[in-house]
Amino acid sequence: DRLLIFVDQFEELYTLGQDTSVQSAFTRCLSSIADDAVSPVRVIVSMRSDLMDRIAPDREFMDRLSSGLVFLPPLESDAIREALSAPLEDRGYAFEQGLLSEMLGDFDASAGALPPLQFAAARLWERRDKARKLLTRPSYDAMGGVAGALSSHAEAVVAGLDEHHLRLAKGVLRRLVTPERTRASFEVAELAESSGDSDRTEWLIEHLVAERLLVVSREDGRPTVELAHDALIERWKALRTWIDENREQQEFLAQLRGAAKQWGSKGKPEGLLWTGDAAREASRVATDFSVEVTRIEREFLEAVAELQTRAARRRRRSVSAALVGLSALLLVSVATTLWIRGAEQE
């Protein structure tokens, strides 16, 4: 006989606040039961690729894990179809004719497509027609399709947050939507830094990923996060309200992010800093709103303010010099006039 031990969502060993001694004890146990090639026991762990760096301090386990590492790419459309239909077939159930194709048509086969589709399929399973052993189109329409199921779920998720995490969630989710109402992608570290509460924000992001509202991927080796689908922007009432309440701030933050990234990537030249009306508008918005910004955005705003201060000093010096010049000219003019009159009298 052979025994397979499968540890799913292994990242939770590191994301749920376990003590490092507990983490080490658990990884040593896993290593010890899989340290003999002739043993009938095999161990497989699965975890999100963006969190693999959490294992790095545990060098022994990281070395063992690396020797058998396999990266699983996102599923293509046909594979997603099979992932959704095969579990039903095992139970003698099926999707109503054409329904699965409609669901796949609502979502493209992107990296973040499977979780929302899986979520909608789970909701359909709860509403299944047991007599006909079908997941039906009327049930799908009643829950508003994939988008409707996802938005209803999103409302329930934020309703379960405490006041502090809800405030953080509003800030995080607003930054993940552009002024044009499309999805924006942010580095996880950027969002955590801009919130002013990194630890709680990282927990919040993990929570929203687990609840399938956000998806995380790697860009240039760094974990980035975005909304699970555009449907959340279109159908999630609370998110639309938060965006509408802060439209001016959203536009400012989007402009600031683009300008600050360009400024930073070019070596922070003075020529790329905002001046004139743009600088004054930045100062006004930053004052009117409690704007939470990333480190590079903060440095950009500080550099803009410093440039404005230097420009104001130069203007004051120019005005002072002009006044001194005018005063000197006036004195010369008066002296000249008096000399002329004296000469005429003589």
Side-chain angles (χ1 to χ4, degrees):
D1 292 337
R2 293 188 177 185
L3 175 65
L4 172 66
I5 298 177
F6 176 47
V7 186
D8 195 14
Q9 294 182 286
F10 188 72
E11 66 273 3
E12 292 192 352
L13 180 63
Y14 304 94
T15 61
L16 298 183
Q18 294 286 0
D19 185 83
T20 53
S21 62
V22 175
Q23 296 171 359
S24 297
F26 189 70
T27 57
R28 284 199 303 271
C29 287
L30 286 180
S31 298
S32 66
I33 60 176
D35 61 356
D36 186 354
V38 299
S39 167
V41 179
R42 295 291 181 268
V43 177
I44 294 177
V45 301
S46 71
M47 71 180 300
R48 284 169 32 201
S49 60
D50 61 289
L51 294 176
M52 282 201 62
D53 58 340
R54 304 290 181 93
I55 306 176
D58 191 343
R59 296 298 297 275
E60 182 179 348
F61 186 69
M62 188 66 176
D63 291 342
R64 184 175 290 272
L65 197 67
S66 300
S67 65
L69 189 62
V70 177
F71 284 97
L72 300 179
L75 297 181
E76 301 293 339
S77 180
D78 289 344
I80 291 178
R81 178 184 293 272
E82 182 180 358
L84 294 173
S85 60
L88 291 178
E89 293 169 1
D90 288 342
R91 297 291 188 92
Y93 279 77
F95 287 94
E96 191 172 335
Q97 183 68 31
L99 177 56
L100 183 53
S101 296
E102 183 178 337
M103 292 173 64
L104 292 173
D106 289 343
F107 272 66
D108 57 20
S110 62
L114 183 57
L117 286 168
Q118 181 184 9
F119 179 81
R123 292 296 177 271
L124 279 174
W125 173 256
E126 295 170 359
R127 300 163 176 244
R128 64 190 181 277
D129 186 330
K130 296 181 180 179
R132 296 189 296 160
K133 292 198 169 183
L134 285 177
L135 273 61
T136 66
R137 180 172 278 99
S139 294
Y140 183 71
D141 293 338
M143 69 184 195
V146 178
L150 197 57
S151 60
S152 299
H153 172 62
E155 294 284 355
V157 170
V158 297
L161 297 175
D162 61 36
E163 183 178 350
H164 184 75
H165 283 103
L166 179 60
R167 181 185 63 79
L168 290 174
K170 289 180 180 180
V172 166
L173 292 167
R174 280 197 295 255
R175 295 217 76 175
L176 293 176
V177 181
T178 70
E180 294 76 26
R181 301 296 181 99
T182 60
R183 287 182 291 173
S185 177
F186 264 86
E187 289 183 21
V188 173
E190 276 187 303
L191 283 178
E193 179 186 43
S194 67
S195 70
D197 192 340
S198 296
D199 291 341
R200 290 189 180 183
T201 301
E202 288 181 0
W203 177 89
L204 175 68
I205 291 172
E206 295 295 335
H207 178 64
L208 297 180
V209 169
E211 294 291 350
R212 302 174 182 176
L213 300 182
L214 303 180
V215 292
V216 176
S217 58
R218 279 193 173 270
E219 186 175 303
D220 298 328
R222 297 184 296 271
T224 61
V225 64
E226 63 181 351
L227 290 173
H229 200 270
D230 289 327
L232 285 168
I233 304 173
E234 301 162 4
R235 301 290 298 272
W236 187 5
K237 183 178 179 181
L239 181 57
R240 291 202 312 272
T241 301
W242 298 339
I243 295 170
D244 291 338
E245 288 173 349
N246 295 271
R247 185 180 300 276
E248 183 181 3
Q249 183 178 351
Q250 289 299 105
E251 293 174 353
F252 168 73
L253 287 173
Q255 294 167 2
L256 173 62
R257 186 190 185 202
K261 289 188 73 172
Q262 183 184 24
W263 176 70
S265 66
K266 299 292 185 182
K268 303 180 179 179
E270 188 175 288
L272 289 178
L273 294 174
W274 287 340
T275 59
D277 291 342
R280 287 188 289 274
E281 180 68 8
S283 177
R284 183 189 69 79
V285 175
T287 302
D288 290 349
F289 298 106
S290 55
V291 179
E292 296 169 340
V293 296
T294 64
R295 176 186 54 79
I296 190 65
E297 292 167 351
R298 188 183 311 109
E299 290 178 0
F300 179 82
L301 289 175
E302 289 171 352
V304 167
E306 175 61 24
L307 181 62
Q308 288 293 100
T309 300
R310 293 202 307 270
R313 289 198 196 106
R314 285 196 296 269
R315 285 195 298 270
R316 285 196 297 270
R317 284 197 297 267
S318 297
V319 170
S320 298
L323 289 173
V324 169
L326 286 172
S327 298
L329 183 61
L330 180 61
L331 289 173
V332 171
S333 177
V334 170
T336 302
T337 301
L338 292 175
W339 179 83
I340 292 173
R341 288 180 179 175
E344 289 174 344
Q345 290 173 358
E346 186 179 343

